[in-house]
Amino acid sequence: MCTMTAMSTGAGSIGATEITQRLAAICGPSFARFAGAADEVAGRLARWVAVPGGPRAAAEVLRLAARHDLSVVPRGAGTKIDWGAAPARVDIMLDTGRLAGVGHRPADSPVVEVGAGTPLRAVQATLERTGRRLALDPPSPGATLGGVLAADESGPLRHRHGTACEQLVGLRWLDADGELVSAGRSAAELAGAAPPVGLDLGRLLCGSQGGLGVLVSATLRAHALPPSRVWVTRPVWSPLEVHDLVRAVLAADLDPAAVELDLPAAGSPPRPAAAPAAGATSGPGGRPMSAAEASARANHPAMAGRRVAPPPPRGSAGELAVLLEGGRSEVGERADRLLALLGGTASLAPDAPAWWRRYPFAPGDTALRVEAPAADLHAAVYALRDAAGAPLSVRGSAGLGVVHAALPGSLPVDRVAGILAAVRGVLFTRRGRCVVVAAPPAVRREVDVWGEAAVIPRLREAKEHLDPHRRLAPGRLPGGL
């Protein structure tokens, strides 16, 4: 809970209580408050929480922040609020939960406009009634569309359809001064199949963690629901075997919707009990965590979908899974060819494996995202194993060379730093990268979570254009922007 201290601003001194009152006047009395134990961003506690009822109210919150030099960090459902670098400060947490809704368009419309605060599963349920879907399936349960875009999160369907950012045809966001910015094409213009224009700047907001703007809504292409879906799976034992199988699958003209891998840390000793993402026994600044804070964090949305099962028995295999979608007869024909290609240990199922669309890391782990050309992914996984001295849990899109891995939260910071240095060295020569997605506070403070980021010059230019005073999630972007 924030204390009622006065702040020196360009408009004179103003008390914390008055800021709360002004936020309440903008958002409504029930939608503005002092921050609580769970209102933090990557371990940095906010001072206030504001939940504006629409884009105009959100713009007013940003203008209030501008007048009093307050920082603003957007929050959706909070499923990935512990991802990325900690902001330098969080004055106002702008909750987008009321910037929600699915635009009304004809059932055969090729696009759909969605409010940034809308849970993705609600969007899918709405579209399903008209036989459509968004080709998005991120692992975070309850994630909002804005949160998916802000974290550049993607799931297995990225293999065929690309990321959410790549599927954008229109975007609306608020800049640091509360001005509404629009980019893209209208539904009528899109009917001509011309590519959207003006989205280059908007697409930089993808993965920016709120550091370039507050997303208001996004327009994406809607796809017909596939009549048939089947999964073909095969046990795998080593990264090199995975490399050979994926290469064969991609060369076989099977048009897979997804090619996913699960390589558990088989035979490794049991990991310590999982800790909350922001630290098991300490709160912001290292102070002892109260029982209320511990309970709030344990039940935070960011904890969902990251519980790790007990280690598999020694010698357990991993699994390669290929999703096929389309018409029933042609999916059946492709499945038969894939079963023959993968051999006698392959099997067919109407449902996804239990690990599908789940991260391999638990709260308290150091979570890594490894990106490399698919042909070099096995080298990156071997480098991880060599640096860690043991197999690590690895899971993700083997067909694209994008996977996540988990380092136990009990590892000392210098060991984590050494592992990162070794893996990044291997990936650098292969045009890949390794990003720390989430980590315990001590690791987050001491290591570079981003590594080499070629996009930094472009991000710096965008930051100067959209947020020159660095009030939006300061420090969240690569390079400390």
Side-chain angles (χ1 to χ4, degrees):
M1 190 69 68
C2 296
T3 57
M4 294 170 55
T5 56
M7 294 172 294
S8 177
T9 69
S13 295
I14 181 170
T17 299
E18 187 172 350
I19 289 291
T20 310
Q21 292 170 346
R22 294 187 184 184
L23 289 172
I26 294 169
C27 303
S30 300
F31 298 101
R33 57 178 173 83
F34 285 112
D39 298 317
E40 60 176 54
V41 183
R44 189 80 69 196
L45 190 63
R47 303 183 68 184
W48 296 274
V49 176
V51 193
R56 289 184 180 179
E60 284 300 317
V61 171
L62 289 166
R63 292 180 188 125
L64 175 68
R67 285 195 297 272
H68 301 292
D69 192 28
L70 301 174
S71 66
V72 177
V73 180
R75 176 180 68 182
T79 58
K80 296 170 291 296
I81 202 70
D82 62 325
W83 282 26
R89 59 191 175 108
V90 186
D91 293 319
I92 300 174
M93 180 177 282
L94 193 156
D95 191 305
T96 64
R98 298 169 73 198
L99 304 179
V102 180
H104 295 288
R105 295 192 185 278
D108 60 350
S109 173
V111 299
V112 59
E113 184 176 8
V114 181
T118 314
L120 189 55
R121 58 190 175 194
V123 182
Q124 302 290 34
T126 299
L127 293 177
E128 187 176 355
R129 293 196 287 268
T130 61
R132 297 179 298 163
R133 71 174 182 184
L134 295 181
L136 303 176
D137 56 348
S140 298
T144 63
L145 178 62
V148 170
L149 289 168
D152 198 18
E153 186 183 26
S154 59
L157 287 178
R158 175 181 180 176
H159 182 91
R160 174 185 284 173
H161 299 281
T163 65
C165 183
E166 290 167 337
Q167 296 182 53
L168 279 176
V169 294
L171 195 66
R172 294 197 305 153
W173 73 93
L174 294 164
D175 67 15
D177 293 322
E179 295 299 319
L180 184 64
V181 184
S182 299
R185 290 182 180 270
S186 68
E189 291 170 324
L190 284 166
V197 295
L199 276 179
D200 285 348
L201 181 60
R203 285 196 168 114
L204 278 178
L205 271 70
C206 296
S208 70
Q209 302 282 11
L212 294 177
V214 176
L215 294 172
V216 171
S217 68
T219 302
L220 302 101
R221 292 194 179 274
H223 300 260
L225 284 170
S228 179
R229 308 180 84 202
V230 298
W231 281 262
V232 177
T233 60
R234 184 192 190 279
V236 291
W237 301 91
S238 72
L240 184 58
E241 180 185 20
V242 172
H243 167 268
D244 294 340
L245 289 172
V246 169
R247 185 171 59 178
V249 169
L250 297 181
D253 193 28
L254 294 165
D255 190 24
V259 181
E260 294 285 299
L261 166 69
D262 177 43
L263 275 180
S268 60
R271 66 171 67 241
T281 59
S282 63
R287 59 174 173 75
M289 188 189 300
S290 69
E293 287 178 307
S295 175
R297 295 189 192 189
N299 293 294
H300 196 278
M303 302 300 102
R306 298 193 218 160
R307 303 295 180 188
V308 174
R314 186 175 296 275
S316 292
E319 195 169 42
L320 183 70
V322 180
L323 170 61
L324 302 176
E325 294 184 335
R328 296 186 186 280
S329 60
E330 55 97 5
V331 164
E333 185 272 331
R334 283 188 285 144
D336 288 340
R337 286 197 287 131
L338 182 55
L339 286 167
L341 176 68
L342 296 180
T345 56
S347 61
L348 182 70
D351 299 308
W355 52 266
W356 189 267
R357 289 181 60 202
R358 292 183 68 85
Y359 290 117
F361 48 85
D365 284 344
T366 295
L368 310 179
R369 184 175 71 243
V370 176
E371 303 173 6
D376 291 326
L377 182 61
H378 65 295
V381 177
Y382 278 126
L384 268 173
R385 289 184 170 187
D386 291 344
L392 301 172
S393 294
V394 175
R395 187 178 295 158
S397 300
L400 294 175
V402 180
V403 297
H404 288 87
L407 300 178
S410 58
L411 282 181
V413 174
D414 59 342
R415 286 281 290 121
V416 174
I419 292 169
L420 281 173
V423 174
R424 285 169 172 168
V426 170
L427 288 171
F428 180 77
T429 60
R430 291 170 167 80
R431 295 174 291 112
R433 62 194 297 242
C434 179
V435 172
V436 178
V437 173
V443 173
R444 199 193 307 270
R445 286 193 297 268
E446 297 299 327
V447 306
D448 178 2
V449 300
W450 297 106
E452 293 293 329
V455 75
I456 286 179
R458 193 177 180 198
L459 285 176
R460 182 175 289 111
E461 182 180 350
K463 187 75 170 176
E464 288 298 324
H465 176 65
L466 295 172
D467 182 25
H469 301 290
R470 300 197 175 186
R471 289 190 298 267
L472 294 176
R476 288 281 268 171
L477 290 170
L481 296 174

